[in-house]
Amino acid sequence: MKRNLKQRLIELAILAGVVLLIVAAVVASGIMPVKASSRHWAITDATLEFASTRSVQTNSIGIEVPPLDEPGMLRLGAATYERNCAWCHGSPLQKYPAVPQAMLPTPPLLTTASINWEPNELFYIAKHGIMFTGMPAWPTQARDDDIWPVVAFVREMGSMDAEVYRELLYSRSASTAQDTLASGDPAWMVGCVDCHGRDGRSVAGPRVPDLQRLSREYIATTMRAMRSGERATGVMQPVATRLTEQEIDEAARYFGRLQPLNSQVASSQVTGTDSTESSIESQVIGSLDAVPEGLRIVNEGDKRQKIPACIECHGRDRSSASYPSLIGQSSKYIETQLALYADRSRGGGQAAVMYDIADKLNEEQRRLVALAFQSLESTAQSKGD
């Protein structure tokens, strides 16, 4: 019996060797087609399709799906999809672009994505791409938060008609387009206003920062850091990459000169000599009743943890060239940035300064600090009223 088993194994080994020789001969002969004008052999197609599906299903197990109905999620997802995905996969406005139709394998229409894939699987595909298909990985592997709005949008796209999709795109919405784009507006404007609005205030939810408090210098420096990949962002890097140096300067100049919503109020609060400026800001922040722990860190820092007062760098009405003003920014955005600093996933500008500070803040403190900064705008407005 042992002899028969041994003989059987030898026969299998010989058979495997013969198969490998045949495969090697086919590959070496050059008869195996690799041209993009024709499809794979049917057996190759079936094998790759099965292998990729099973790989996605297996490797996406354990990915935690966040709430996909967060305010602004669909609008941000639509804007990102329109800039980065629609030219291959089509959209409710353009069912199937001509060029992708000639690609083999052909990029699939995503109208049935919610039927074929679970949210965690869509996330895995968007983040890592799929080999042998032309589907690239997300521009950065450091920002998972960038991807979820696209997942949320793709899940809903199958039920959208052109009108609904157009309403999600601020620059094309019938209700806002007249105020958004005017004749003579530069081409870069569309790529900005779909998320940041024409007035620099986010129209795509709390994940998107307001630009109307940022200086021209800070915006230009940040966009160049995004374009180079120094500051990781899969949403903004493709947008910034398409812009010339002149267009970056134009966009920075446009948004940098916008008037902050409560600029007059805030200016009156921080105007004064260096000796009184800090105390005036302290009175403004100290007047809030909400999130006292966050306000204490923002206003005073934490000597025990060796955390400086946030307000010293981030409390001005408009950002400096190096430090953004955080007054009135959404708590979701600020909290996300602090988490990215702690993970060393955010670079550019003065990022290294923030690493040590973010390390010392626990998750709850980050949340409270973020809420404190968000609350400052409404407080300043009420004082102005």
Side-chain angles (χ1 to χ4, degrees):
M1 186 172 180
K2 288 184 178 179
R3 186 176 179 180
N4 289 339
L5 179 60
K6 183 178 180 181
Q7 184 178 358
R8 199 65 160 158
L9 290 174
I10 292 173
E11 291 173 352
L12 289 173
I14 293 172
L15 178 61
V18 171
V19 172
L20 287 175
L21 286 173
I22 293 173
V23 172
V26 170
V27 173
S29 69
I31 65 172
M32 184 176 174
V34 295
K35 57 187 179 181
S37 59
S38 62
R39 299 195 66 86
H40 291 300
W41 291 334
I43 188 172
T44 306
D45 257 344
T47 301
L48 291 175
E49 177 70 20
F50 177 78
S52 63
T53 299
R54 290 297 299 128
S55 178
V56 170
Q57 290 172 341
T58 299
N59 287 282
S60 62
I61 294 173
I63 294 177
E64 187 175 346
V65 180
L68 299 181
D69 57 354
E70 177 185 298
M73 193 79 115
L74 282 181
R75 190 185 288 273
L76 177 55
T80 305
Y81 181 91
E82 178 67 15
R83 297 288 166 274
N84 302 340
C85 313
W87 63 280
C88 260
H89 295 286
S91 74
L93 290 179
Q94 188 177 15
K95 293 298 183 183
Y96 216 173
V99 173
Q101 289 185 53
M103 296 172 62
L104 294 174
T106 305
L109 289 170
L110 299 183
T111 51
T112 60
S114 61
I115 299 174
N116 298 331
W117 302 100
E118 295 297 322
N120 58 316
E121 294 169 345
L122 287 171
F123 171 86
Y124 184 85
I125 293 170
K127 181 174 182 177
H128 298 290
I130 300 180
M131 289 182 178
F132 309 117
T133 66
M135 172 65 184
W138 196 252
T140 174
Q141 297 296 293
R143 293 287 302 274
D144 289 357
D145 61 293
D146 276 352
I147 304 173
W148 287 113
V150 178
V151 173
F153 168 74
V154 170
R155 292 275 296 174
E156 299 294 330
M157 185 172 65
S159 62
M160 291 182 187
D161 58 19
E163 184 178 352
V164 172
Y165 183 65
R166 190 178 287 109
E167 282 300 310
L168 287 174
L169 300 175
Y170 190 78
S171 62
R172 302 192 186 192
S173 168
S175 60
T176 59
Q178 186 174 4
D179 297 328
T180 302
L181 296 176
S183 59
D185 276 340
W188 56 258
M189 182 72 78
V190 174
C192 297
V193 300
D194 276 343
C195 289
H196 297 286
R198 192 178 181 90
D199 62 356
R201 296 183 66 81
S202 170
V203 295
R207 291 171 178 256
V208 177
D210 290 344
L211 299 185
Q212 41 88 36
R213 287 196 174 280
L214 305 181
S215 67
R216 174 180 62 83
E217 296 83 3
Y218 184 82
I219 294 173
T221 298
T222 299
M223 291 180 71
R224 290 188 172 96
M226 290 173 169
R227 183 176 62 180
S228 69
E230 184 182 1
R231 177 168 170 178
T233 165
V235 173
M236 279 299 302
Q237 187 175 21
V239 175
T241 299
R242 298 185 185 111
L243 300 179
T244 65
E245 285 290 308
Q246 180 179 345
E247 287 174 327
I248 285 179
D249 288 334
E250 287 178 2
R253 187 163 50 249
Y254 171 82
F255 286 106
R257 71 187 179 203
L258 294 176
Q259 194 77 349
L261 185 62
N262 60 332
S263 60
Q264 293 181 342
V265 175
S267 296
S268 67
Q269 292 162 352
V270 300
T271 300
T273 64
D274 292 340
S275 61
T276 61
E277 185 171 327
S278 178
S279 63
I280 292 173
E281 289 176 353
S282 177
Q283 291 170 14
V284 174
I285 297 172
S287 67
L288 298 175
D289 295 327
V291 292
E293 173 65 11
L295 295 171
R296 181 184 67 79
I297 295 173
V298 167
N299 184 48
E300 303 173 8
D302 190 305
K303 292 182 180 179
R304 181 178 56 83
Q305 294 180 273
K306 296 183 179 179
I307 299 173
C310 308
I311 202 71
E312 291 300 321
C313 294
H314 300 288
R316 302 297 182 266
D317 178 59
R318 192 182 290 277
S319 65
S320 67
S322 301
Y323 299 100
S325 172
L326 298 182
I327 293 177
Q329 291 287 7
S330 83
S331 61
K332 176 70 175 180
Y333 175 77
I334 297 173
E335 187 177 357
T336 297
Q337 303 311 304
L338 288 172
L340 291 172
Y341 282 127
D343 291 340
R344 302 299 188 269
S345 296
R346 157 126 187 212
Q350 301 297 316
V353 175
M354 285 299 304
Y355 292 157
D356 184 55
I357 296 173
D359 286 344
K360 294 172 182 176
L361 294 170
N362 60 40
E363 188 173 340
E364 177 65 7
Q365 287 175 319
R366 292 176 203 157
R367 186 181 72 86
L368 294 176
V369 166
L371 286 171
F373 267 118
Q374 177 179 281
S375 67
L376 292 182
E377 183 172 60
S378 59
T379 302
Q381 288 175 8
S382 64
K383 281 180 172 288
D385 294 340

